Amino acid sequence: MKKLSITFCEANGKCHIKTFTNTIPVLPNVGDKVGLENLIYKVERRDFVYLEELNTVEVYIFLT
């Protein structure tokens, strides 16, 4: 895998995108708590999208 993009989506629609190259980060599971910008959120849902033509994976993590 060349690139992994993780998009954290807050309930208010604001999104935070983090991109990783040639590394595999630990992804939070549903129910886990994550910190973004000095706030703690709970992971509500995760979606994975593989783009074959670009050899990339996009992960969408929905937070409450």
Side-chain angles (χ1 to χ4, degrees), residues 4-47:
L4 173 68
S5 293
I6 301 175
T7 303
F8 294 92
C9 300
E10 297 178 33
N12 65 7
K14 184 176 179 184
C15 292
H16 308 271
I17 300 173
K18 295 186 178 184
T19 303
F20 301 88
T21 304
N22 295 324
T23 185
I24 301 174
V26 176
L27 298 175
N29 292 315
V30 172
D32 286 354
K33 293 182 180 178
V34 297
L36 288 174
E37 296 184 355
N38 300 323
L39 296 172
I40 302 295
Y41 297 93
K42 183 178 176 185
V43 176
E44 185 74 24
R45 189 176 93 228
R46 300 186 315 178
D47 291 332

Side-chain angles (χ1 to χ4, degrees), residues 3-7 47-51 56-60:
K3 184 173 115 182
L4 173 68
S5 293
I6 301 175
T7 303
D47 291 332
F48 298 86
V49 178
Y50 174 63
L51 304 172
T56 62
V57 174
E58 293 181 357
V59 180
Y60 295 88

